[in-house]
Amino acid sequence: MSRKIATQLTQGTNGTDDGNTGSVVAPLNFSTAFRHPGLGESTGFDYSRLAGPTRQLLEGQLAAIEYGTHAFATSSGMAAIDLVFSAFTRSGDHFICSDDLYGGSFRYFDERQDKYNVQYDKWNGINVDDLLLKIKKSTKLIWLESPSNPTMKIIDIEGVAKAVHAIRPDILIAVDNTFLTPIYQNPIKLGADVVVHSATKYLGGHNDILAGAVIVNDDKLGAILQEELTTTGQTLDSFDSWLLIRSLKTLHVRMAAHTANARYLAERLPTLTGVDKVLYAGVGGMISFYLNDKYSVDKFLRALRVCSFAESLGGVESLITVPYIQTHHDMPVGDRLALGITPQLIRLSVGLEDKDDLWDDLQQAVAAAKEDKE
Ligand SMILES: *Cc1c(COP(=O)(O)O)cnc(C)c1O
């Protein structure tokens, strides 16, 4: 990408109207079928599971902003994760993942293990030497999410990529970049091979598109992914592709505003009696905090007026989740507690409302959560 990211985001998909209308923004093309000029000829589009003009435009944009050469837009973040594992692992393979991940990723990994005999080990994300010790001959892939979800641990992606590739250049380093987005973290520049997004979150940014993305910077990996996606068909539809193109135009502005609001709240939340500990990575819009044991999580959630108690993150509306009973519910209780995912842990996706309205809402909801009896 030669231009700066703000220019790429706002203009990278424009000027692509092939009808010579001069339209500033890209048109939306719904066609699933494309006429062939003659036998053995193609316009480049044949059938939209393989490629369609609107999805292709989005995929070019996703590749550009993540410093990749090939991108694939999928029907959800889970479909993106499935695309990576279907394309790059088979029965008997092994992979390693960081231990504090999106809960749905663990559900997926357990299914891979049980149904498809793809075994995995967890790594705590701290000491790279410990990670190297877990590598086996059959290890195909290392899966990282940083900052971790929901406890905001930071993983040294560059350190992992360097150390692993020095001894095993064939092992793919895959990063779920949903939380920080390319605005704050560029895994491919840090040495990763595969970048994954739940575009439902910040890339979409408005709590109204379910989508995913996989980005690579290698032709061979790109060809394998294209083949897999063509075969399995978990592609993003034209309309959601167009909406995502539109959403991406403001990604840089939204991320800066999410960060400003989150910093404001992360500074103030520790001053509240009723809040024991606040976890924040310093950038982005995700904050986790522990409500004191003397405070009721249920009362806190019921008292919210601006924030919504709802599962998801990364949108303009502030959402609050309780990972213990929502996103991480499928994880064994012992594992949850070992990671600090207790019933009192609250995850806040800070939206773009006025920062003082958010602060007032959290203050009054925490106050309302105090149990009467000590
Ligand atoms: C939500 C999420 C996913 C799954 O994406 P969907 O779009 O819900 O399928 C994967 N990884 C992370 C970090 C997420 O937050």
Side-chain angles (χ1 to χ4, degrees), residues 76-78 81 102 145 149 176 178-179 198 200-201 210-211 313:
S76 70
M78 289 317 301
I81 293 171
Y102 176 65
E145 192 177 320
N149 180 357
D176 183 333
T178 299
F179 270 33
S198 168
T200 312
K201 315 297 169 50
L210 188 72
L313 63 101

Side-chain angles (χ1 to χ4, degrees), residues 211-281:
V214 179
I215 301 107
V216 294
N217 69 336
D218 177 275
D219 288 346
K220 222 174 105 203
L221 298 181
I224 295 170
L225 288 165
Q226 178 65 65
E227 173 80 19
E228 186 68 32
L229 189 58
T230 298
T231 304
T232 56
Q234 66 263 55
T235 55
L236 191 64
D237 70 281
S238 299
F239 187 59
D240 281 350
S241 294
W242 189 86
L243 278 178
L244 199 46
I245 286 171
R246 184 186 200 276
S247 295
L248 284 173
K249 293 186 179 208
T250 55
L251 179 66
H252 54 307
V253 183
R254 286 186 283 109
M255 290 311 291
H258 283 296
T259 296
N261 272 1
R263 282 184 181 158
Y264 187 79
L265 298 177
E267 264 171 30
R268 280 160 186 77
L269 276 167
T271 66
L272 281 186
T273 24
V275 171
D276 279 350
K277 189 178 175 193
V278 178
L279 308 170
Y280 180 54

Side-chain angles (χ1 to χ4, degrees), residues 7 14 19 40 92 120 171-172 233 314 334:
T7 314
N14 293 348
Y120 76 99
I171 293 180
L172 298 176

Side-chain angles (χ1 to χ4, degrees), residues 90-366:
R90 52 208 60 205
S91 178
D93 284 350
H94 171 259
F95 71 96
I96 302 163
C97 66
S98 47
D99 64 354
D100 186 30
L101 295 175
Y102 176 65
S105 299
F106 278 124
R107 185 167 54 222
Y108 178 83
F109 294 164
D110 287 339
E111 191 191 88
R112 275 276 133 181
Q113 189 155 263
D114 297 345
K115 281 197 191 162
Y116 303 102
N117 187 34
V118 177
Q119 304 299 319
Y120 76 99
D121 284 304
K122 295 181 197 172
W123 169 58
N124 68 8
I126 300 167
N127 188 330
V128 179
D129 289 332
D130 291 345
L131 171 68
L132 297 183
L133 289 175
K134 292 177 190 283
I135 292 178
K136 302 177 183 186
K137 224 177 136 195
S138 57
T139 304
K140 282 282 150 61
L141 191 143
I142 290 169
W143 185 271
L144 307 172
E145 192 177 320
S146 179
S148 71
N149 180 357
T151 61
M152 310 293 163
K153 282 191 291 190
I154 306 286
I155 295 171
D156 175 10
I157 294 170
E158 191 167 20
V160 168
K162 272 208 182 105
V164 171
H165 284 156
I167 57 164
R168 285 284 301 275
D170 60 306
I171 293 180
L172 298 176
I173 309 291
V175 176
D176 183 333
N177 204 27
T178 299
F179 270 33
L180 287 191
T181 81
I183 301 300
Y184 295 125
Q185 179 163 274
N186 303 117
I188 285 175
K189 278 187 157 179
L190 298 174
D193 304 286
V194 183
V195 182
V196 171
H197 277 277
S198 168
T200 312
K201 315 297 169 50
Y202 287 107
L203 300 189
H206 294 72
N207 291 319
D208 57 8
I209 310 166
L210 188 72
V214 179
I215 301 107
V216 294
N217 69 336
D218 177 275
D219 288 346
K220 222 174 105 203
L221 298 181
I224 295 170
L225 288 165
Q226 178 65 65
E227 173 80 19
E228 186 68 32
L229 189 58
T230 298
T231 304
T232 56
Q234 66 263 55
T235 55
L236 191 64
D237 70 281
S238 299
F239 187 59
D240 281 350
S241 294
W242 189 86
L243 278 178
L244 199 46
I245 286 171
R246 184 186 200 276
S247 295
L248 284 173
K249 293 186 179 208
T250 55
L251 179 66
H252 54 307
V253 183
R254 286 186 283 109
M255 290 311 291
H258 283 296
T259 296
N261 272 1
R263 282 184 181 158
Y264 187 79
L265 298 177
E267 264 171 30
R268 280 160 186 77
L269 276 167
T271 66
L272 281 186
T273 24
V275 171
D276 279 350
K277 189 178 175 193
V278 178
L279 308 170
Y280 180 54
V283 288
M286 299 304 298
I287 297 176
S288 293
F289 62 91
Y290 292 92
L291 211 55
N292 183 276
D293 287 341
K294 304 246 163 46
Y295 288 70
S296 151
V297 171
D298 186 52
K299 282 186 183 171
F300 168 75
L301 297 171
R302 287 177 192 279
L304 292 168
R305 295 292 172 264
V306 179
C307 302
S308 297
F309 170 40
E311 247 157 325
S312 197
L313 63 101
V316 296
E317 298 91 358
S318 292
L319 301 184
I320 283 183
T321 53
V322 181
Y324 186 84
I325 56 144
Q326 292 177 296
T327 52
H328 290 66
H329 185 259
D330 287 344
M331 197 184 266
V333 172
D335 290 6
R336 271 181 268 169
L337 296 178
L339 287 168
I341 304 171
T342 74
Q344 296 297 109
L345 179 68
I346 309 284
R347 195 188 71 184
L348 166 62
S349 170
V350 181
L352 303 187
E353 302 90 346
D354 182 90
K355 61 188 192 309
D356 287 310
D357 285 342
L358 291 173
W359 174 229
D360 288 349
D361 191 37
L362 292 170
Q363 273 182 292
Q364 65 81 24
V366 170

Side-chain angles (χ1 to χ4, degrees), residues 22-65:
S23 74
V24 170
V25 304
L28 166 53
N29 186 315
F30 278 115
S31 198
T32 51
F34 299 87
R35 269 199 305 274
H36 305 297
L39 262 188
E41 292 178 27
S42 167
T43 61
F45 297 104
D46 304 306
Y47 182 65
S48 67
R49 174 157 34 76
L50 286 66
T54 306
R55 193 174 90 235
Q56 192 174 76
L57 199 58
L58 167 66
E59 291 174 336
Q61 181 71 319
L62 291 168
I65 63 176

